[in-house]
mmCIF file of all heavy atoms in Angstrom:
data_model
loop_
_atom_site.group_PDB
_atom_site.id
_atom_site.type_symbol
_atom_site.label_atom_id
_atom_site.label_comp_id
_atom_site.label_asym_id
_atom_site.label_seq_id
_atom_site.Cartn_x
_atom_site.Cartn_y
_atom_site.Cartn_z
ATOM 1 N N GLY A 219 -33.206 -6.988 -53.692
ATOM 2 C CA GLY A 219 -33.286 -7.108 -55.139
ATOM 3 C C GLY A 219 -34.632 -6.621 -55.646
ATOM 4 O O GLY A 219 -35.570 -6.389 -54.874
ATOM 5 N N ALA A 220 -34.733 -6.464 -56.956
ATOM 6 C CA ALA A 220 -35.977 -6.018 -57.569
ATOM 7 C C ALA A 220 -37.057 -7.086 -57.433
ATOM 8 O O ALA A 220 -36.769 -8.295 -57.421
ATOM 9 C CB ALA A 220 -35.746 -5.695 -59.039
ATOM 10 N N ALA A 221 -38.319 -6.664 -57.364
ATOM 11 C CA ALA A 221 -39.434 -7.602 -57.240
ATOM 12 C C ALA A 221 -39.815 -8.221 -58.578
ATOM 13 O O ALA A 221 -40.517 -9.233 -58.615
ATOM 14 C CB ALA A 221 -40.641 -6.899 -56.630
ATOM 15 N N TRP A 222 -39.364 -7.626 -59.678
ATOM 16 C CA TRP A 222 -39.669 -8.185 -61.004
ATOM 17 C C TRP A 222 -38.566 -7.813 -61.986
ATOM 18 O O TRP A 222 -37.759 -6.916 -61.747
ATOM 19 C CB TRP A 222 -41.018 -7.693 -61.512
ATOM 20 C CG TRP A 222 -41.135 -6.201 -61.627
ATOM 21 C CD1 TRP A 222 -40.610 -5.404 -62.602
ATOM 22 C CD2 TRP A 222 -41.807 -5.328 -60.722
ATOM 23 N NE1 TRP A 222 -40.911 -4.089 -62.377
ATOM 24 C CE2 TRP A 222 -41.651 -4.006 -61.236
ATOM 25 C CE3 TRP A 222 -42.533 -5.525 -59.539
ATOM 26 C CZ2 TRP A 222 -42.192 -2.904 -60.598
ATOM 27 C CZ3 TRP A 222 -43.073 -4.423 -58.913
ATOM 28 C CH2 TRP A 222 -42.902 -3.127 -59.425
ATOM 29 N N GLU A 223 -38.540 -8.559 -63.089
ATOM 30 C CA GLU A 223 -37.593 -8.279 -64.169
ATOM 31 C C GLU A 223 -38.242 -8.697 -65.474
ATOM 32 O O GLU A 223 -38.798 -9.798 -65.575
ATOM 33 C CB GLU A 223 -36.280 -9.035 -63.949
ATOM 34 C CG GLU A 223 -35.197 -8.666 -64.950
ATOM 35 C CD GLU A 223 -33.874 -9.343 -64.624
ATOM 36 O OE1 GLU A 223 -33.806 -10.592 -64.748
ATOM 37 O OE2 GLU A 223 -32.918 -8.641 -64.255
ATOM 38 N N CYS A 224 -38.179 -7.822 -66.463
ATOM 39 C CA CYS A 224 -38.815 -8.066 -67.758
ATOM 40 C C CYS A 224 -37.812 -7.728 -68.849
ATOM 41 O O CYS A 224 -37.709 -6.581 -69.280
ATOM 42 C CB CYS A 224 -40.085 -7.216 -67.887
ATOM 43 S SG CYS A 224 -40.904 -7.334 -69.487
ATOM 44 N N LEU A 225 -37.076 -8.752 -69.302
ATOM 45 C CA LEU A 225 -36.047 -8.567 -70.321
ATOM 46 C C LEU A 225 -36.308 -9.508 -71.489
ATOM 47 O O LEU A 225 -36.842 -10.612 -71.311
ATOM 48 C CB LEU A 225 -34.660 -8.837 -69.732
ATOM 49 C CG LEU A 225 -34.209 -7.933 -68.578
ATOM 50 C CD1 LEU A 225 -32.866 -8.401 -68.044
ATOM 51 C CD2 LEU A 225 -34.144 -6.478 -69.022
ATOM 52 N N ASP A 226 -35.892 -9.085 -72.662
ATOM 53 C CA ASP A 226 -36.073 -9.904 -73.867
ATOM 54 C C ASP A 226 -34.932 -10.915 -73.942
ATOM 55 O O ASP A 226 -33.925 -10.689 -74.619
ATOM 56 C CB ASP A 226 -36.111 -9.004 -75.101
ATOM 57 C CG ASP A 226 -36.541 -9.764 -76.354
ATOM 58 O OD1 ASP A 226 -36.898 -10.954 -76.234
ATOM 59 O OD2 ASP A 226 -36.520 -9.165 -77.435
ATOM 60 N N VAL A 227 -35.092 -12.020 -73.230
ATOM 61 C CA VAL A 227 -34.045 -13.036 -73.139
ATOM 62 C C VAL A 227 -34.655 -14.410 -73.393
ATOM 63 O O VAL A 227 -35.859 -14.614 -73.232
ATOM 64 C CB VAL A 227 -33.367 -13.006 -71.751
ATOM 65 C CG1 VAL A 227 -32.618 -11.699 -71.534
ATOM 66 C CG2 VAL A 227 -34.394 -13.226 -70.635
ATOM 67 N N PRO A 228 -33.828 -15.391 -73.766
ATOM 68 C CA PRO A 228 -34.329 -16.759 -73.966
ATOM 69 C C PRO A 228 -34.778 -17.383 -72.643
ATOM 70 O O PRO A 228 -34.369 -16.968 -71.557
ATOM 71 C CB PRO A 228 -33.119 -17.501 -74.542
ATOM 72 C CG PRO A 228 -32.196 -16.436 -75.031
ATOM 73 C CD PRO A 228 -32.414 -15.251 -74.159
ATOM 74 N N ASP A 229 -35.600 -18.416 -72.750
ATOM 75 C CA ASP A 229 -36.114 -19.104 -71.561
ATOM 76 C C ASP A 229 -34.989 -19.591 -70.658
ATOM 77 O O ASP A 229 -35.097 -19.563 -69.429
ATOM 78 C CB ASP A 229 -36.967 -20.299 -71.970
ATOM 79 C CG ASP A 229 -38.306 -19.884 -72.568
ATOM 80 O OD1 ASP A 229 -38.566 -18.660 -72.648
ATOM 81 O OD2 ASP A 229 -39.089 -20.778 -72.951
ATOM 82 N N GLU A 230 -33.898 -20.086 -71.262
ATOM 83 C CA GLU A 230 -32.847 -20.736 -70.501
ATOM 84 C C GLU A 230 -31.952 -19.774 -69.718
ATOM 85 O O GLU A 230 -31.095 -20.208 -68.947
ATOM 86 C CB GLU A 230 -31.975 -21.593 -71.423
ATOM 87 C CG GLU A 230 -32.693 -22.789 -72.029
ATOM 88 C CD GLU A 230 -33.678 -22.406 -73.122
ATOM 89 O OE1 GLU A 230 -33.520 -21.311 -73.738
ATOM 90 O OE2 GLU A 230 -34.639 -23.180 -73.352
ATOM 91 N N VAL A 231 -32.173 -18.476 -69.892
ATOM 92 C CA VAL A 231 -31.432 -17.501 -69.086
ATOM 93 C C VAL A 231 -31.821 -17.637 -67.616
ATOM 94 O O VAL A 231 -31.013 -17.400 -66.723
ATOM 95 C CB VAL A 231 -31.681 -16.075 -69.599
ATOM 96 C CG1 VAL A 231 -31.210 -15.033 -68.583
ATOM 97 C CG2 VAL A 231 -30.969 -15.878 -70.935
ATOM 98 N N TYR A 232 -33.055 -18.047 -67.368
ATOM 99 C CA TYR A 232 -33.538 -18.258 -66.008
ATOM 100 C C TYR A 232 -33.621 -19.755 -65.697
ATOM 101 O O TYR A 232 -33.670 -20.599 -66.594
ATOM 102 C CB TYR A 232 -34.902 -17.615 -65.824
ATOM 103 C CG TYR A 232 -34.906 -16.113 -65.983
ATOM 104 C CD1 TYR A 232 -35.630 -15.512 -67.014
ATOM 105 C CD2 TYR A 232 -34.190 -15.293 -65.121
ATOM 106 C CE1 TYR A 232 -35.657 -14.132 -67.166
ATOM 107 C CE2 TYR A 232 -34.200 -13.910 -65.266
ATOM 108 C CZ TYR A 232 -34.931 -13.336 -66.289
ATOM 109 O OH TYR A 232 -34.942 -11.970 -66.437
ATOM 110 N N ALA A 233 -33.677 -20.053 -64.412
ATOM 111 C CA ALA A 233 -33.565 -21.440 -63.948
ATOM 112 C C ALA A 233 -34.616 -22.368 -64.549
ATOM 113 O O ALA A 233 -34.308 -23.495 -64.929
ATOM 114 C CB ALA A 233 -33.657 -21.477 -62.425
#
Side-chain angles (χ1 to χ4, degrees):
W222 59 77
E223 187 175 68
C224 176
L225 299 176
D226 190 5
V227 295
D229 288 359
E230 293 73 23
V231 166
Y232 297 116

